[in-house]
Amino acid sequence: ENQEKLDEFQARIDAGEKIEPKDWMPERYRQQLIRMMSQHAHSEIVGMLPEGNWIERAPSLKRKLVLLAKVQDEAGHGLYLYSATETLGIDRSELVDQYLYGSAKYSSIFNYPTMTYADICAIGWLVDGAAIVNQTMLARSSYGPYSRANVRICKEESFHKKQGYEMLAKMADGTPEQQKMAQDSVNRWWWPSLMMFGPHDSDSPNSAELIKWQVKLKTNDELRQHFVDRMVMEAEAIGVTLPDPDLEYNEETGHWDFGDIPWDEFWNVVKGNGIMNRDRIKARRKAHEDGEWVREAANAYARKKKLSQEK
Ligand code: 3HC
């Protein structure tokens, strides 16, 4: 690519302009966006599985309706993000194949099992809470379709987080068994939620480029710190304990210091050896393959319709 075009592009980014699908962009910018946006979409779709596990076993009709609505929202988030990725000139069928049969990633957080209903509360509070911190930043991303997709996702995400937090508060204030379930769930979901923000900035090969091009406006560690600071307050407010004995308020920085994240567990899960990785991919492959006839029928109908219009 010629230097003049690259400089012009960088000047547009630095001026805070939105890059739109038909604008000139460095090939590397396009590839980075396809990677990040499609993996975000894959995460939303796979994220329906841990929660879907409790739709039939929700404790009341109200909780079932709320969980159904949330899982449907996640499907919608996935579709907005696949549509936004397709503006970069790649078809979603190729993107889906990349994670179902290739090496594309989805968020490690969805490879953990939902063992009790309290997990649905902890996921709403912690996982969607972390997603809000991340997606609020991405709503200001330099690529137009991605930033607009995140604006819409954030509106629904705050409902997801609030409903989880409200349920967890009820359990934390409930019977001794419910309190124990709530605390056990927070213990299991806290550290994996911190891993959602990605490796430390010093171990983040993509961050430098993404920050330069304002695809990311904050680094992994900055967002993680913001999340910890908020969650410490919210945990205290409902009487659950975060499972980190090293959590301590730092007068100097005004932030909460926290313990070492188990990165070997993180990379082990990212590499595919988490508790649920194989189940998640098996479930998604089955759903995809079972849906083949629907895609064929829709394509046949579209072809027939096109032919009849051309007559
Ligand atoms: N799980 C799986 N892979 C992860 C990961 C995680 N938690 N964190 C990082 N990685 C991968 C990266 O994808 C990258 O691998 P790749 O180059 O093969 O893609 C590698 O680890 C190194 O990480 P980097 O920090 O260099 O990668 P990024 O700069 O892309 O940062 C990210 C990672 C913070 C996840 C960033 O990609 C991002 O913000 N993505 C968009 C948001 C997103 O995908 N969120 C996932 C959760 S969606 C969700 O929670 C839905 C909600 O509704 C519940």
Side-chain angles (χ1 to χ4, degrees), residues 73-88:
D73 282 350
E74 308 298 6
H77 296 176
L79 298 187
Y80 311 152
L81 290 162
Y82 283 129
S83 301
T85 313
E86 286 185 322
T87 64
L88 291 157

Side-chain angles (χ1 to χ4, degrees), residues 32 35-45 47 51 70 73-74 77 81 103-111 123 127-132 134-135 137-138 146 150 153 157 160 192 194-201 203-208 210 216 220 223 263 266-267 269-270:
Q32 272 286 22
R35 173 192 69 85
M36 187 168 161
M37 291 167 69
S38 58
Q39 293 186 153
H40 192 166
H42 303 333
S43 303
E44 302 282 1
I45 301 298
E51 298 177 321
K70 179 175 185 318
D73 282 350
E74 308 298 6
H77 296 176
L81 290 162
S103 58
K105 297 181 169 74
Y106 59 89
S107 189
S108 52
I109 191 73
F110 299 123
N111 289 312
I123 285 175
V127 174
D128 289 81
I132 288 178
N134 173 284
Q135 289 160 168
M137 175 271 286
L138 293 171
Y146 196 29
N150 277 288
I153 287 173
E157 208 76 272
H160 297 173
L194 295 193
M195 298 175 200
M196 284 174 68
F197 293 97
H200 282 309
D201 299 346
D203 304 325
S204 170
N206 294 295
S207 281
L210 295 174
K216 270 185 181 178
N220 298 359
L223 290 179
W263 292 115
F266 169 76
W267 290 114
V269 175
V270 171

Side-chain angles (χ1 to χ4, degrees), residues 91 131 169 180 215 244 251:
D91 191 88
K180 194 171 160 308
V215 175
D244 178 1
E251 292 294 341

